[in-house]
């Protein structure tokens, strides 16, 4: 019987299941950062329970660390979290990619970069955007602190089986339309609850024409549509990316496992519980106007009017969002003044994202009264960007070039957007206060963000290509 990628991974990791209870799944890779793990380690220590498989867990610091003067953490809570995770790593003999490793970075950037992320795996992390790793054909999802403890202790996790959902994107993308625009368009079309109860697999020639970093952007924001996880079946592009990475098999062993990895791809005649089909040609550069990632419009579009709401609940949501964002129903997004630009996060901080943004700003200057920062997703990505001279391009244009970390994505560090400011951000969430108290976030692609930094307002990135 033909099976989907999700079904194949589920079956190969299924251990047991009691009647009317969740199934027990084996976990291949457990990624850990400083924010959601201290209580889990403390609880295990209190119970005198050791970490079962220390070689299947990897630790980094990313959320709470500053991106300027990283050795000096002023916030007491952030400092405690970082010191605690270092202690936990040492006490439990778990590999840690710390600031002095040359490999530190956002957990969802370094996992693929180091080759820890591999097709057919079950991957968990105490972070909702673990879905990023699904780009490699891995079942990857976020877990809570109590589940972090469970995985550390047992290398297993209780899970209810999800429904399967296919989102097929086929056709040729327009000039200036990026993977970020594709996923924002998808979320707009199906809604922030469109994927609830499902694991989404992205299919179609548009998706498989993307490089791995673009695929990671797509899968990263699956959670913003309510999905449990996002997946893309592994193919030759996947293998080419993984070959030669630090933690991937080498030589003949790579050839052997790569054949196995490709077998995880969804069978041709497999059936999904639900399918959505999208024409790539219909997608334009996108930007959000509201306070959830589904509230977006084409870059040349207008903010919805209250009369356009589907129902009273929708009307109230739009009204509340526009009040917070201080935008007018029906106004054009083009020309909207902005104050900040953030290029970074686990969605768009990889080398290809930085190259794309640098191509837009090269030889130009950031507009007056705009603070623009670029935060590489990892120390390795930063080093590569500097080897290519991208840092010089950004700095010459007036951008700030920072150290690796989550930075202004979630205001859990020093990189906060001031109250009332509009920030064009390449991150994944635009909730109220996400980037700082009373900050206003406009989600967009790296090239849209770069163009806005130069203009001091929302502009069409296609005019800058």
């Amino acid at each position: 019987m033909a099976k989907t990628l999700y079904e194949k991974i589920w079956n190969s990791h299924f251990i047991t299941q009691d009647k009317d209870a969740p199934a027990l799944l084996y976990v291949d890779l457990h990624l850990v950062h400083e924010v959601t793990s201290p209580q889990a380690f403390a609880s295990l220590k209190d119970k005198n329970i050791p970490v079962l498989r220390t070689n299947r867990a990897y630790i980094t610091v990313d959320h709470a660390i500053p991106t300027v003067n990283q050795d000096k953490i002023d916030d007491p809570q952030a400092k405690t979290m970082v010191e605690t995770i270092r202690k936990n790593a040492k006490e439990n003999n778990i590999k840690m990619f710390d600031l002095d490793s040359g490999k530190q970075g956002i957990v969802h950037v370094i996992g693929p970069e180091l080759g820890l992320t591999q097709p057919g795996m079950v991957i968990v992390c105490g972070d909702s955007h673990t879905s990023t790793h699904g780009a490699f054909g891995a079942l990857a999802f976020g877990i809570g602190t109590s589940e972090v403890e469970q995985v550390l202790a047992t290398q297993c996790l209780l899970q209810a089986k999800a429904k399967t959902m296919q989102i097929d994107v086929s056709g040729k993308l327009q000039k200036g339309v990026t993977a970020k625009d594709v996923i924002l368009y998808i979320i707009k079309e199906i809604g922030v609850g469109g994927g609830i109860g499902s694991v989404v697999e992205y299919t179609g020639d548009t998706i498989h024409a993307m490089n791995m970093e673009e695929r990671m952007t797509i899968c990263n924001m699956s959670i913003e549509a309510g999905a449990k996880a996002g997946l893309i079946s592994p193919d030759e592009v996947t293998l080419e990316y993984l070959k030669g990475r630090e933690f991937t098999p080498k030589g003949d062993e790579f050839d052997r496992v790569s054949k196995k990895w490709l077998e995880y791809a969804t069978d041709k005649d497999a059936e999904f519980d639900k399918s959505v089909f999208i024409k790539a040609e219909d997608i334009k550069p996108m930007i959000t106007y509201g306070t959830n990632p589904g509230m977006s419009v084409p870059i040349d579009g207008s903010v919805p009017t209250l009369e356009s709401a589907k129902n009273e609940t929708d009307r109230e949501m739009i009204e509340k969002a526009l009040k917070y964002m201080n935008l007018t129903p029906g106004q054009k997004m083009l020309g909207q003044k902005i104050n900040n630009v953030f290029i970074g996060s686990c969605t768009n901080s990889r080398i290809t994202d930085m190259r794309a943004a640098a191509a837009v700003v090269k030889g130009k200057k950031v507009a007056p009264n705009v603070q623009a920062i670029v935060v590489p997703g990892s120390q390795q990505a930063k080093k590569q960007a500097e080897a290519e001279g991208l840092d010089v391009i950004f700095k010459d244009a007036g951008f700030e070039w920072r150290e690796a970390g989550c930075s202004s994505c979630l205001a859990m560090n020093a990189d906060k957007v001031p109250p009332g400011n509009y920030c064009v951000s390449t991150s994944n969430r635009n909730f109220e206060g996400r980037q700082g108290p009373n900050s206003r976030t406009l989600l967009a692609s790296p090239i849209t963000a770069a163009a806005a930094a130069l203009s001091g307002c929302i502009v069409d990135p296609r005019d800058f290509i």
Side-chain angles (χ1 to χ4, degrees):
M1 182 179 175
K3 290 182 172 60
T4 65
L5 167 60
Y6 173 65
E7 290 167 332
K8 291 180 181 182
I9 298 175
W10 179 276
N11 291 345
S12 64
H13 289 75
F14 177 89
I15 299 171
T16 188
Q17 184 172 15
D18 291 336
K19 185 179 180 182
D20 300 323
L24 192 65
L25 292 186
Y26 178 76
V27 174
D28 298 287
L29 176 64
H30 187 188
L31 300 170
V32 183
H33 61 78
E34 74 273 26
V35 177
T36 55
S37 61
Q39 301 94 326
F41 281 106
S43 181
L44 288 179
K45 191 172 184 179
D46 288 343
K47 298 169 185 173
N48 198 29
I49 297 175
V51 175
L52 181 65
R53 296 198 65 187
T54 57
N55 65 334
R56 291 286 82 205
Y58 294 86
I59 294 174
T60 192
V61 284
D62 55 7
H63 281 60
I65 59 168
T67 57
V68 177
N69 299 324
Q70 286 190 311
D71 292 329
K72 187 175 182 295
I73 305 176
D74 294 324
D75 183 88
Q77 187 176 11
K79 186 175 182 179
T80 298
M81 285 191 286
V82 172
E83 290 175 347
T84 301
I85 198 66
R86 285 172 176 157
K87 182 180 178 183
N88 290 331
K90 186 175 181 180
E91 288 180 350
N92 292 279
N93 194 30
I94 297 175
K95 177 73 174 178
M96 181 173 179
F97 303 107
D98 208 340
L99 297 175
D100 60 354
S101 68
K103 299 170 186 177
Q104 171 268 340
I106 303 173
V107 66
H108 309 311
V109 174
I110 67 170
E113 188 176 70
L114 294 170
L116 290 167
T117 303
Q118 296 171 17
M121 281 185 166
V122 169
I123 301 173
V124 298
C125 175
D127 186 281
S128 56
H129 292 103
T130 308
S131 55
T132 307
H133 306 264
F136 292 81
L139 176 57
F141 49 88
I143 56 176
T145 299
S146 62
E147 293 173 310
V148 170
E149 180 182 351
Q150 182 185 355
V151 176
L152 288 172
T154 69
Q155 205 58 37
C156 299
L157 186 65
L158 289 167
Q159 281 292 296
K161 194 171 184 180
K163 296 285 188 181
T164 57
M165 183 177 182
Q166 174 192 26
I167 297 180
D168 184 285
V169 187
S170 295
K172 187 175 181 180
L173 293 172
Q174 296 183 37
K175 169 188 171 183
V177 176
T178 71
K180 182 63 163 288
D181 302 304
V182 172
I183 191 60
L184 284 174
Y185 181 88
I186 288 171
I187 298 168
K188 173 181 174 291
E189 289 298 296
I190 69 172
V192 291
I196 289 177
S198 299
V199 167
V200 173
E201 181 172 346
Y202 301 94
T203 67
D205 55 23
T206 305
I207 298 296
H208 282 277
M210 292 180 177
N211 63 41
M212 289 310 300
E213 298 194 346
E214 292 170 318
R215 296 181 190 188
M216 282 186 258
T217 295
I218 296 287
C219 288
N220 174 272
M221 291 188 67
S222 302
I223 195 72
E224 315 309 339
K228 176 72 175 177
L231 293 169
I232 295 173
S233 282
D235 56 16
E236 292 297 332
V237 176
T238 318
L239 303 186
E240 186 60 31
Y241 178 95
L242 288 171
K243 194 170 186 178
R245 301 275 168 181
E246 181 174 347
F247 288 90
T248 52
K250 306 296 187 292
D252 292 341
E253 178 65 9
F254 181 84
D255 294 335
R256 186 188 70 80
V257 298
S258 62
K259 291 177 182 177
K260 180 182 176 182
W261 288 343
L262 292 179
E263 291 174 0
Y264 275 102
T266 291
D267 295 331
K268 185 177 180 181
D269 298 326
E271 295 183 0
F272 294 86
D273 293 308
K274 182 179 180 180
S275 294
V276 176
F277 297 91
I278 289 172
K279 295 179 180 178
E281 294 85 354
D282 293 340
I283 307 173
K284 293 182 177 182
M286 303 290 290
I287 192 158
T288 60
Y289 64 85
T291 51
N292 72 53
M295 292 180 166
S296 69
V297 292
I299 197 75
D300 55 1
S302 301
V303 173
T305 61
L306 299 183
E307 291 72 26
S308 67
K310 299 173 184 176
N311 49 52
E312 187 58 31
T313 301
D314 190 38
R315 177 189 172 93
E316 290 174 359
M317 286 179 60
I318 294 173
E319 188 173 25
K320 182 174 183 289
L322 295 187
K323 182 178 180 181
Y324 180 83
M325 295 295 291
N326 194 29
L327 296 176
T328 305
Q331 78 167 76
K332 285 279 190 182
M333 287 303 292
L334 288 176
Q336 170 63 42
K337 298 292 184 183
I338 60 107
N339 316 94
N340 296 73
V341 166
F342 167 56
I343 297 175
S345 88
C346 59
T347 314
N348 285 123
S349 63
R350 298 172 180 84
I351 187 64
T352 53
D353 300 309
M354 292 185 283
R355 286 173 185 155
V360 171
V361 306
K362 188 175 183 180
K364 303 180 180 68
K365 294 291 182 182
V366 170
N369 304 317
V370 172
Q371 182 194 29
I373 66 173
V374 180
V375 185
S378 71
Q379 290 178 337
Q380 289 191 352
K382 181 175 185 284
K383 184 178 179 180
Q384 184 175 352
E386 290 172 347
E388 296 178 16
L390 303 185
D391 61 319
V392 176
I393 292 173
F394 284 120
K395 287 186 285 188
D396 285 350
F399 281 79
E400 295 177 33
W401 180 249
R402 300 291 188 87
E403 301 295 331
C406 292
S407 185
S408 188
C409 174
L410 76 167
M412 198 177 281
N413 45 71
D415 299 347
K416 294 176 174 63
V417 174
N421 276 23
Y422 291 95
C423 178
V424 180
S425 174
T426 67
S427 53
N428 40 47
R429 287 183 174 161
N430 54 341
F431 303 153
E432 293 185 16
R434 171 74 176 182
Q435 294 190 285
N438 298 311
S439 60
R440 296 167 176 149
T441 301
L442 306 163
L443 300 178
S445 74
I447 61 173
T448 298
L454 303 176
S455 307
C457 63
I458 303 301
V459 290
D460 194 327
R462 294 171 292 190
D463 295 336
F464 289 74
I465 300 173

